[in-house]
Amino acid sequence: MSAETLLPPRRLTHRLLGRPELGAVVGAAAVFVFFAVSADSFVRPESMGTILYAASTIGIMAVPVALLMIGGEFDLSAGVLVTSSALVSSMFSYQMTANVWVGVGVSLLITLAIGFLNGVLLVRTKLPSFIVTLGTFLMLTGANLGLTKLIDGTVSTKSIADMEGFSSARALFASHLTIGDVDLQVTIVWWVALVALATWVLLRTRAGNWIFASGGNPDAARAVGVPVARTKIGLYMAVALCAWISGQHLLFSFDVVQSGEGVGNEFLYIIAAVIGGCLMTGGHGSAIGSAVGAFIFGMTSKGIVYAQWNPDWFKFFLGAMLLLATLLNAWVRKRAEAAK
């Protein structure tokens, strides 16, 4: 057998080792097998719909958060921004007695403006994204509670279920479809579409090259003409757009919103991205990896329930998976670099 015959398999191995989501895929397989053995109900078709829904609620936000991390930045305001988006839609529609689609549109503009503000503050002040978005997180947390109590007199919004446009908005953001015995929420469709779009952007467009370059070495990227500032602002606006999608799902699923929701969810988005192969230092990762990380989250959160374990252990398992996935990703990267 000639050396040329052996080259293609070797190149394939190198490509697989170089994929950022490889460690997450291995981890997801291990988690699936673990809960499949621990709970018979885990592998039922109807259970898979529940697991995918739990994964999609994290996965929709994990996609832009992963892109932002590839670009070298964080967004600690992402969790409460979801709630802010839902609150704006609800209160504007109710107080203005308008069609709910008017509130949805106003919410989109305001949410994108907050994302734009995060990006501009970052590039203009040169402060770390941790500080910038921590400030935004605190301001939004206070505004969510303060404005809701000021306008509605309570910590939750009024019901908008009887308003014009509610049913059509619910169909877009909070409907579900049944395939066989599996009930699938529309968030799963949103999630898959966002993963596909983000993957295409990262791997097939100039903007994707800019994202990797901005996170890998921003100074070198600027030197070769990459618009680093515009790229980072665009990434924060992408986080805001997905926060708007998630916020509308939250609102139209329950027709009221609690102003204190969303606090802490930003860490779940980051965890999903890190488990999926994103580096804390930027310049490495994938949208598919974030989806696998979110799927691991869904399997763990529901697998504990199906196995009838104490749900208080959920955070313990999530933290253990974060550490193991990070170590596995580091090992895979070292093997990939050694094989070059």
Side-chain angles (χ1 to χ4, degrees):
M1 184 177 292
S2 66
E4 289 77 6
T5 306
L6 296 175
L7 282 177
R10 188 181 180 190
R11 287 200 296 267
L12 177 61
T13 302
H14 291 178
R15 289 198 297 269
L16 288 175
L17 286 174
R19 293 303 305 166
E21 63 271 7
L22 176 61
V25 171
V26 174
V31 171
F32 181 86
V33 171
F34 177 76
F35 282 114
V37 172
S38 302
D40 294 337
S41 59
F42 181 80
V43 294
R44 293 175 182 169
E46 57 269 23
S47 299
M48 204 47 55
T50 303
I51 291 169
L52 287 172
Y53 174 60
S56 69
T57 58
I58 299 299
I60 287 175
M61 288 301 297
V63 171
V65 167
L67 266 61
L68 185 63
M69 291 182 67
I70 295 170
E73 307 297 344
F74 294 94
D75 190 347
L76 297 180
S77 67
V80 292
L81 187 56
V82 171
T83 306
S84 299
S85 173
L87 289 171
V88 171
S89 294
S90 179
M91 289 191 290
F92 190 89
S93 297
Y94 186 86
Q95 296 299 325
M96 301 301 292
T97 63
N99 186 302
V100 297
W101 282 106
V102 177
V104 169
V106 171
S107 174
L108 174 61
L109 294 177
I110 292 177
T111 307
L112 288 176
I114 294 172
F116 179 78
L117 178 63
N118 273 336
V120 169
L121 286 174
L122 177 80
V123 300
R124 292 290 178 85
T125 64
K126 308 297 182 184
L127 290 172
S129 57
F130 177 86
I131 298 298
V132 172
T133 58
L134 178 60
T136 311
F137 161 80
L138 294 172
M139 288 189 292
L140 288 176
T141 302
N144 287 351
L145 179 60
L147 289 175
T148 304
K149 293 181 71 174
L150 178 66
I151 296 173
D152 287 332
T154 64
V155 296
S156 64
T157 61
K158 301 291 193 300
S159 173
I160 60 170
D162 59 347
M163 294 188 64
E164 185 179 355
F166 182 87
S167 59
S168 58
R170 170 171 276 184
L172 179 62
F173 295 109
S175 62
H176 63 90
L177 56 104
T178 302
I179 302 177
D181 295 330
V182 182
D183 186 55
L184 300 177
Q185 296 285 339
V186 73
T187 50
I188 300 172
V189 178
W190 281 103
W191 179 33
V192 172
L194 288 169
V195 171
L197 176 61
T199 300
W200 175 76
V201 169
L202 282 177
L203 302 181
R204 293 289 185 268
T205 69
R206 181 182 298 177
N209 293 331
W210 290 347
I211 293 170
F212 280 110
S214 298
N217 191 330
D219 292 331
R222 291 188 188 93
V224 297
V226 173
V228 175
R230 280 190 294 156
T231 299
K232 291 182 183 289
I233 292 173
L235 289 172
Y236 275 105
M237 292 184 72
V239 173
L241 175 63
C242 291
W244 172 76
I245 295 171
S246 295
Q248 304 319 296
H249 171 70
L250 176 65
L251 171 61
F252 292 107
S253 292
F254 305 103
D255 76 62
V256 296
V257 183
Q258 297 291 328
S259 59
E261 291 187 32
V263 176
N265 285 352
E266 59 279 352
F267 295 111
L268 299 180
Y269 310 148
I270 293 172
I271 288 170
V274 172
I275 290 176
C278 290
L279 294 182
M280 306 295 284
T281 52
H284 186 79
S286 72
I288 294 175
S290 74
V292 178
F295 185 54
I296 291 176
F297 169 88
M299 287 193 293
T300 304
S301 63
K302 299 306 176 184
I304 290 175
V305 175
Y306 293 134
Q308 297 182 347
W309 297 344
N310 189 337
D312 294 340
W313 287 94
F314 168 67
K315 292 292 179 65
F316 173 84
F317 281 104
L318 196 62
M321 283 190 300
L322 174 63
L323 291 175
L324 290 174
T326 304
L327 291 173
L328 181 59
N329 289 334
W331 178 81
V332 169
R333 277 179 58 81
K334 288 181 180 178
R335 289 294 301 272
E337 291 171 357
K340 289 181 180 178

